[in-house]
């Protein structure tokens, strides 16, 4: 009986040792991916903004040159968002605007004149004319380089009309954050020459009559999800924070000068 117990104990011990040995020899089940290869597959090469052209080469409206590369606003505005925004969304507004004005009196007018005299019931012109103007404007105020804060006459006007730059920034950020759904927030010069902040839904803008805010745009932010979803998902406030870092204040100053010129 004693021998049987010893034999049983020895067998159990042997089994445990074998089990440990097998564990030591186990190959990892999940193979380690090759990081470089994975990255290369996930990241398609960026296109060239200069290759983006309106469908109708003879159309009244053409895609405005971006003037910088898709990744030029990184990390604030990511290259993938810039590429789809410029080469797909903006191009589409341009193409649809050309179709909307073809053979109409608007075909010979500037985009500012078209929007200033717009019949809001003309949905094709309202959406695509607005989309064309708003984005053309947006690419300019969002260019790399330039002053990082307002200066000169613009800085003085901001202080005069809002109390301080911070007070203006808070008001503009709030307008952009609270615009429900798709739309834009704006800083405009109204007809009395005063700076005013407001927002518009969809592709409406302050040049259009009867949209709640009127004046000449000086600064604008696109708060459609297509403008930020790839990088910021649902976090619109994070995108708005990043937007402040990507503004070219020299361009904004030039727009202010033009808007206040007699
Ligand atoms: Mn957009």
């Amino acid at each position: 009986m004693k021998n049987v117990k010893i034999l049983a104990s020895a067998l159990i011990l042997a089994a445990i040792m074998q089990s440990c040995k097998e564990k030591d020899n186990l190959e990892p089940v999940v193979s380690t991916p090759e990081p470089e290869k994975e990255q290369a597959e996930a990241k398609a090469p960026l296109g060239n903004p200069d290759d983006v052209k309106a469908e109708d080469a003879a159309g009244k409206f053409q895609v405005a040159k971006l003037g910088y590369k898709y990744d030029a606003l990184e990390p604030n505005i990511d290259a993938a968002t810039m590429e789809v925004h410029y080469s797909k969304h903006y191009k589409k507004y341009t193409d649809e605007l050309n179709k909307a004005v073809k053979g109409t009196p608007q075909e010979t007018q500037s985009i500012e004149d078209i929007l200033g005299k717009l019949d809001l019931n003309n949905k094709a012109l309202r959406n695509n004319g607005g989309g064309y103007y708003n984005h053309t404007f947006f690419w300019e105020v969002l260019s790399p380089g330039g002053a990082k804060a307002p200066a000169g006459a613009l800085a003085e006007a901001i202080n005069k009309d809002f109390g301080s730059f911070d007070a203006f920034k808070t008001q503009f950020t709030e307008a952009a954050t609270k615009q429900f759904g798709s739309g834009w927030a704006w800083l405009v010069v109204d007809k009395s020459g005063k700076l005013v902040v407001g927002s518009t839904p969809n592709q409406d803008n302050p040049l259009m009559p009867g949209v709640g805010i009127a004046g000449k745009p000086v600064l604008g932010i696109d708060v459609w999800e297509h403008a930020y979803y790839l990088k910021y998902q649902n976090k619109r406030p994070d995108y708005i924070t990043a937007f402040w870092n990507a503004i070219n204040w020299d361009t904004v100053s030039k727009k202010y000068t033009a808007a206040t010129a007699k």
Side-chain angles (χ1 to χ4, degrees):
M1 193 61 186
K2 198 180 174 188
N3 284 347
V4 172
K5 271 189 180 168
I6 289 170
L7 183 62
S9 302
L11 281 172
I12 290 164
L13 187 64
I16 290 169
M17 284 175 75
Q18 182 62 26
S19 153
C20 290
K21 206 175 155 195
E22 276 171 7
K23 271 184 193 155
D24 286 345
N25 291 341
L26 275 182
E27 288 290 324
V29 177
V30 183
S31 65
T32 314
E34 297 164 48
E36 276 178 33
K37 195 181 163 201
E38 276 212 336
Q39 261 179 16
E41 278 169 5
K43 214 173 177 183
L46 288 174
N48 183 346
D50 289 344
D51 295 339
V52 181
K53 308 277 186 219
E55 208 168 71
D56 182 355
K60 159 81 179 176
F61 295 100
Q62 295 298 313
V63 166
K65 283 254 179 268
L66 186 59
Y68 48 92
K69 292 182 174 169
Y70 291 132
D71 62 1
L73 303 174
E74 293 264 12
N76 297 302
I77 313 289
D78 62 294
T81 297
M82 282 303 295
E83 181 170 40
V84 72
H85 205 175
Y86 180 82
S87 72
K88 301 289 195 289
H89 293 275
Y90 176 52
K91 178 182 150 31
K92 181 79 172 167
Y93 290 121
T94 309
D95 292 339
E96 294 302 314
L97 174 60
N98 278 330
K99 287 178 199 164
V101 298
K102 204 168 177 85
T104 76
Q106 281 89 0
E107 200 171 7
T108 57
Q109 298 170 10
S110 71
I111 188 64
E112 289 83 358
D113 284 345
I114 292 172
L115 300 177
K117 292 179 282 186
L118 183 72
D119 170 4
L120 293 180
N121 293 315
N122 187 337
K123 290 286 166 58
L125 211 49
R126 182 180 183 175
N127 292 335
N128 298 300
Y132 178 77
Y133 175 90
N134 296 350
H135 288 88
T136 305
F137 179 93
F138 191 57
W139 313 134
E140 291 175 20
V141 298
L142 272 190
S143 48
K148 291 292 151 212
L154 174 61
E156 282 170 31
I158 287 173
N159 287 334
K160 181 166 85 58
D161 294 333
F162 297 98
S164 67
F165 177 75
D166 283 347
F168 152 66
K169 190 175 172 179
T170 301
Q171 204 174 314
F172 185 95
T173 298
E174 195 172 293
T177 310
K178 289 188 175 168
Q179 168 57 42
F180 183 75
S182 301
W184 292 73
W186 303 98
L187 171 67
V188 307
V189 175
D190 75 7
K191 66 171 188 269
S192 72
K194 192 172 179 254
L195 286 170
V196 178
V197 160
S199 68
T200 51
N202 305 313
Q203 295 298 353
D204 287 356
N205 69 44
L207 297 177
M208 298 175 180
V211 296
I213 175 171
K216 292 179 181 168
V218 170
L219 178 67
I221 179 173
D222 185 346
V223 295
W224 283 58
E225 282 189 345
H226 70 228
Y228 62 87
Y229 204 87
L230 290 181
K231 182 176 168 85
Y232 297 100
Q233 287 82 49
N234 60 318
K235 298 183 283 287
R236 187 191 285 185
D238 290 358
Y239 156 69
I240 297 169
T241 300
F243 166 82
W244 286 104
N245 301 325
I247 299 169
N248 184 327
W249 285 99
D250 288 339
T251 310
V252 180
S253 269
K254 278 180 200 152
K255 293 198 176 290
Y256 176 73
T257 304
T260 49
K262 292 281 179 282

